Amino acid sequence: MSDISEYVVLFHGDLGTGECLQSAQQCRGIENTPWNYLQHVIFVPGLFHLKMIFLQASAARLDETSLMRDETGHYGSKPGFCRMHELIMHNSICRRLDCWRVEAKKCDPKWTSLEEFAVSEPTWEDIKAMAHTLAHNYVAAPQCDMQYENGLLLNKYMLVYEELSYAMNSRDIRWVETCLMTWIPMFKATGKHKYANTMTDFLRKVHFMYPAGLKLTISRWAVRYHIMINPTGRKGKF
């Protein structure tokens, strides 16, 4: 039989799977050898489940800016990931386009629609300047109006969700890890403490806990890349 003591097993799954694995390792902790107490098993959380939790948190608001205000019957009870994902993506695009329309009209009252703004053939420098203004006024600027501020927060959360989606589809691991640093405080703020702790523990182990040999051959490649799973096998469909 081949010696497999120098190898590890990457165990991919959702938070429940990770808890079951952690429980098994704790139960076997009294054993004498690393193999018997399952030290070689490394849990890798799936990002798909994190996206599902974010969708639940982003829709759990019932003010005038809530995504479920007009579609309570459809989105009030387990609408499914695909429907919520499309809702977030399409709603985010529409909200940003409307912000562009409002900002364009502020620049020139004659531009009452985006079509008229496009016909004017703005320069690339004008578009970049308007984009900076939009990011400041419709995403980051604090407001005294609570409802308006909720709208700005919704724009921000949608952009954070889209950023992670694009990072996953482009298979940029460093970009994904950067996005997670933003998500972890958001999970804590919405009561998703288990997911926040799981991702914090995973990043801590990958970057600071694993030994040098494991980090070079596993942590930097297999563990970090294993968090990116593409079930369909198609490009850009993570």
Side-chain angles (χ1 to χ4, degrees):
M1 177 182 255
S2 302
D3 182 13
I4 60 175
S5 61
E6 298 298 323
Y7 294 85
V8 297
V9 176
L10 304 180
F11 211 94
H12 183 275
D14 58 8
L15 185 61
T17 302
E19 291 177 341
C20 290
L21 176 60
Q22 183 180 17
S23 177
Q25 290 175 327
Q26 290 175 347
C27 291
R28 301 289 294 273
I30 197 174
E31 301 293 337
N32 296 326
T33 64
W35 176 265
N36 287 335
Y37 56 72
L38 305 179
Q39 184 178 352
H40 61 286
V41 182
I42 296 178
F43 172 65
V44 181
L47 295 180
F48 167 75
H49 305 283
L50 294 180
K51 293 177 69 175
M52 291 180 62
I53 293 300
F54 178 84
L55 292 176
Q56 294 176 9
S58 64
R61 298 166 51 248
L62 296 176
D63 62 2
E64 292 296 319
T65 62
S66 173
L67 297 179
M68 298 193 302
R69 182 171 61 89
D70 298 324
E71 298 289 344
T72 303
H74 292 95
Y75 299 105
S77 58
K78 298 182 180 180
F81 173 79
C82 291
R83 178 175 288 179
M84 287 298 300
H85 175 77
E86 292 180 356
L87 171 67
I88 292 288
M89 300 298 285
H90 293 171
N91 188 275
S92 180
I93 293 172
C94 293
R95 291 176 67 93
R96 285 200 299 274
L97 288 175
D98 193 54
C99 291
W100 275 96
R101 179 189 61 82
V102 172
E103 194 61 30
K105 189 175 181 180
K106 288 182 179 179
C107 295
D108 191 332
K110 294 184 298 183
W111 297 337
T112 58
S113 66
L114 291 179
E115 289 79 6
E116 295 177 355
F117 172 66
V119 169
S120 67
E121 298 183 354
T123 65
W124 179 243
E125 295 300 325
D126 293 336
I127 293 177
K128 289 199 300 183
M130 288 183 63
H132 285 297
T133 302
L134 287 167
H136 180 269
N137 294 338
Y138 299 96
V139 177
Q143 299 291 330
C144 296
D145 186 337
M146 185 63 68
Q147 182 171 316
Y148 184 70
E149 188 170 350
N150 284 341
L152 298 187
L153 288 174
L154 185 57
N155 291 339
K156 177 181 178 180
Y157 296 157
M158 286 180 172
L159 287 172
V160 171
Y161 179 81
E162 288 188 60
E163 182 182 15
L164 179 64
S165 297
Y166 291 141
M168 291 174 60
N169 289 335
S170 62
R171 297 176 295 177
D172 191 328
I173 303 299
R174 294 183 183 275
W175 189 8
V176 170
E177 291 180 340
T178 301
C179 293
L180 293 179
M181 299 304 294
T182 303
W183 280 44
I184 288 173
M186 294 172 60
F187 284 144
K188 291 183 178 181
T190 55
K192 309 298 182 181
H193 299 290
K194 287 186 177 181
Y195 284 89
N197 294 335
T198 298
M199 296 313 302
T200 301
D201 183 65
F202 175 75
L203 293 176
R204 177 180 60 83
K205 288 179 178 178
V206 166
H207 292 282
F208 302 106
M209 181 175 172
Y210 291 148
L214 180 64
K215 186 172 184 180
L216 179 61
T217 58
I218 298 297
S219 173
R220 291 182 181 176
W221 297 102
V223 173
R224 295 176 72 185
Y225 281 15
H226 196 68
I227 200 174
M228 303 288 291
I229 299 297
N230 187 345
T232 64
R234 293 180 294 173
K235 184 178 180 179
K237 297 296 182 180
F238 281 87

